[in-house]
Amino acid sequence: MITFKIEALLEQLNEGKPEKEKITKGAIAREAKVRPNVLYEMSENKTKRVEIETLNKIMAAINRISDKKVDICDVIEYIPDTDKE
């Protein structure tokens, strides 16, 4: 199963920052020029598919507004399914 770690990433990026300097999903969506629902669905793991172009825009936006370098593995995680058929 593929999961998105948007919430955990934002917690990490915002650690110790004053409230008005914190990075939000809305700020990332605006910077990436994608619908805010895209990020909200990703953070709740309700996304069925993501276009590579959209993911690229999100990654670029996070790296522009963050003071830390973020890699794809900070955003997406693969967890093997435990039930074998």
Side-chain angles (χ1 to χ4, degrees):
M1 170 170 61
I2 302 291
T3 62
F4 292 94
K5 305 185 296 183
I6 302 288
E7 290 295 331
L9 175 62
L10 288 177
E11 284 179 25
Q12 180 185 0
L13 294 176
N14 289 327
E15 190 174 327
K17 287 187 176 184
E19 196 63 36
K20 65 182 189 177
E21 292 180 19
K22 290 187 176 184
I23 299 169
T24 64
K25 288 177 276 205
I28 296 169
R30 281 189 299 278
E31 182 69 23
K33 295 182 173 74
V34 298
R35 292 180 311 107
N37 284 358
V38 170
L39 282 168
Y40 289 99
E41 289 171 2
M42 288 172 90
S43 67
E44 295 173 6
N45 285 301
K46 293 182 177 178
T47 302
K48 301 263 190 248
R49 67 182 175 94
V50 178
E51 296 289 331
I52 297 298
E53 181 180 347
T54 302
L55 191 54
N56 189 50
K57 287 178 181 181
I58 291 168
M59 292 301 301
I62 292 170
N63 278 296
R64 278 195 301 271
I65 61 179
S66 170
D67 55 354
K68 298 176 184 167
K69 181 168 177 356
V70 176
D71 199 301
I72 193 72
C73 62
D74 299 318
V75 175
I76 297 177
E77 180 177 24
Y78 170 70
I79 302 171
D81 290 333
T82 54
D83 28 317
K84 298 178 183 176
E85 296 182 32

